[in-house]
């Protein structure tokens, strides 16, 4: 389980370092890329952050990338 104090900025960095694009995260979460982008404008709550981190890790593993 990830640290619940992770910030949206750290989510952005994790996605970048893992080679995962926002549209891929949005597709994994079942939302539009625009909705995902807008959701990062304000801090996500702990549950949503955990779902985003899990999506990044899942996509990175699927792509054979590093989950950093």
């Amino acid at each position: 389980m990830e640290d619940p104090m992770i910030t949206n900025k750290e989510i952005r960095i994790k996605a970048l370092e893992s080679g995962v694009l926002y549209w891929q995260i949005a597709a994994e979460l079942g939302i539009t890329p625009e909705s995902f982008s807008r959701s990062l404008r304000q801090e996500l709550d702990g549950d949503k952050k955990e779902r985003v981190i899990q999506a990044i890790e899942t996509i990175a593993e699927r792509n054979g990338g590093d989950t950093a």
Side-chain angles (χ1 to χ4, degrees):
M1 179 156 176
E2 284 293 321
D3 179 359
M5 297 306 294
I6 191 167
T7 64
N8 287 0
K9 182 177 181 178
E10 291 166 323
I11 288 173
R12 290 180 183 98
I13 292 168
K14 184 171 183 69
L16 180 65
E17 289 176 346
S18 299
V20 176
L21 303 174
Y22 283 4
W23 70 264
Q24 293 172 307
I25 298 168
E28 188 73 20
L29 296 173
I31 61 176
T32 66
E34 296 82 8
S35 292
F36 178 67
S37 242
R38 279 194 304 270
S39 73
L40 292 178
R41 292 179 188 168
Q42 296 181 353
E43 281 303 312
L44 299 173
D45 66 34
D47 181 53
K48 289 179 183 177
K49 286 180 185 179
E50 184 60 35
R51 288 180 34 223
V52 171
I53 293 296
Q54 184 60 45
I56 292 170
E57 291 173 353
T58 299
I59 296 163
E61 288 174 18
R62 192 179 318 145
N63 293 342
D66 179 21
T67 58

